[in-house]
Amino acid sequence: MPHRTTVSEDVLVGPRYLAGTTGTDPIAPLLDAAPGWSRALVGPDPYYASSCQRLRAARRDGEWTFTYAYDPLGIPDWSAHFDRTTPDEVLAAFTERLIDGLDTYFADYLSGGPLHTGQTPASVFAEHGWEPARGTQPWRTLAPDEHAAFHIRTGYVDDPDELRRRGAATWKITAGPDPASRPTWAAHFTGHTPQPLMNAAALAVADPEPVARPAHRVPEGHRDLVGLRPTTHSARAAAALARGRISAATQPTPASPPPPSAAPTPSRTARTR
C-alpha cells in the first residue's frame, strides 16, 4: 500500500527524476560561493559570469541557461538549459562539475586525467538499466520504468540552429509520465557541451538513491509513479537531500566496459573546431 503523507511531511522519493524540486534554487548559492564569479541582477533574476568571462549563467522565469564562448565577445560555442522543474540534484551536479573543472576546461575528467572514468552519458544510463527504444527518431534510451529518457539527435546538426532553438539541441534528458511527448521537465545540451558536464547530470539523474522532499513538492502527476518513504525527522531528510546533491557530482565511479547497445554518434559534419 502506498505511504499516505501529510502536506508538511518530509518524505524520501525515488526515482529521483520524478521527485520534483525542493522549491529553493540550488544553483545561485553555488555560484555565489564560487571563487572569481561575479553576480548582477537583470530585473529580478541573477546573472553570473566566470572570472575568465567565457561562461555565463542566467536564471529567467525560474529556468537556468549556461553559455560558453571561447571568445567572450563572440557567439557561444555551447549552451545548456534546464527547465524550472528540473530536480535540484541534477542542477547541483552539473553546476558543481562546472565550477570544479572550468579553469582547466575539464582536463582532469578527460582521457589521461586523474578523474577520467571512461563513461559517456549513454554508458551511464546503460549501467543503470536504461535500454534503447528501437526505431525512434531522434534516438533515445528509456529508464526501466519508461518515465525518463535520454535523447540524441543524429545526422547533420547546425551549430547556429542549436543555439537559437532549444528543441534543436543534440542531447536532451527528459522525465515525466510521458517523457517523449509531454515531459514534466527537460534539460537540453548543444553539441559542443563538454562531456564531463553531461556525465555529471546523467549520474545525478540515474542515481538510485532516493531524495528528500516535502510531500507537497512531489508533482501530483508523479505520485502514483514514485515510491515514498517517511523520514523520521527533518534532520535525516536534510542529510538525505545533501547526499543526493553531491553523490553524482563529486564521486566519480570506476570506468566500466561499453554498454551492450552503444548510442549512435551524431554527425559533426558542420563542426570543424
Side-chain angles (χ1 to χ4, degrees):
M1 179 179 296
H3 171 64
R4 296 179 180 274
T5 63
T6 63
V7 170
S8 60
E9 183 179 359
D10 286 328
V11 292
L12 293 175
V13 189
R16 58 175 52 195
Y17 48 76
L18 296 176
T21 70
T22 64
T24 61
D25 185 351
I27 290 184
L30 294 173
L31 295 178
D32 285 336
W37 286 65
S38 61
R39 181 181 189 269
L41 288 177
V42 180
D45 295 316
Y47 172 93
Y48 293 87
S50 64
S51 57
C52 65
Q53 298 297 308
R54 292 171 176 163
L55 198 293
R56 313 295 172 92
R59 186 181 68 204
R60 184 175 184 181
D61 298 329
E63 301 187 347
W64 278 95
T65 299
F66 297 79
T67 60
Y68 177 88
Y70 183 79
D71 175 359
L73 298 179
I75 297 172
D77 295 281
W78 58 264
S79 71
H81 180 89
F82 299 88
D83 288 353
R84 65 189 308 162
T85 49
T86 304
D88 297 42
E89 295 74 20
V90 180
L91 291 165
F94 180 93
T95 306
E96 288 169 351
R97 179 68 54 85
L98 177 72
I99 293 170
D100 178 65
L102 184 61
D103 285 349
T104 62
Y105 208 66
F106 315 102
D108 286 349
Y109 297 91
L110 301 178
S111 180
L115 300 178
H116 178 62
T117 65
Q119 292 175 312
T120 67
S123 73
V124 167
F125 290 124
E127 290 159 14
H128 287 83
W130 294 41
E131 296 185 351
R134 305 295 180 183
T136 58
Q137 290 294 332
W139 181 91
R140 64 178 176 266
T141 183
L142 293 171
D145 63 4
E146 299 188 354
H147 296 312
F150 174 56
H151 313 248
I152 300 179
R153 287 185 63 199
T154 57
Y156 176 83
V157 179
D158 181 76
D159 288 4
D161 189 41
E162 276 197 295
L163 293 168
R164 284 194 306 266
R165 294 193 305 113
R166 193 175 306 153
T170 297
W171 291 283
K172 180 170 63 173
I173 302 172
T174 60
D178 182 353
S181 301
R182 294 185 300 278
T184 303
W185 65 266
H188 301 80
F189 309 93
T190 62
H192 292 297
T193 305
Q195 186 169 286
L197 293 177
M198 293 191 297
N199 285 352
L203 286 163
V205 171
D207 190 332
E209 184 179 2
V211 293
R213 294 288 187 272
H216 72 278
R217 298 297 311 181
V218 180
E220 186 173 354
H222 294 184
R223 291 178 186 176
D224 291 336
L225 308 177
V226 299
L228 300 179
R229 288 193 287 117
T231 57
T232 55
H233 49 73
S234 58
R236 179 179 170 185
L241 178 57
R243 288 196 305 272
R245 284 184 175 177
I246 67 172
S247 60
T250 63
Q251 300 294 329
T253 55
S256 301
S261 300
T265 302
S267 169
R268 316 309 296 174
T269 304
R271 308 188 190 284
T272 58
R273 286 189 286 275

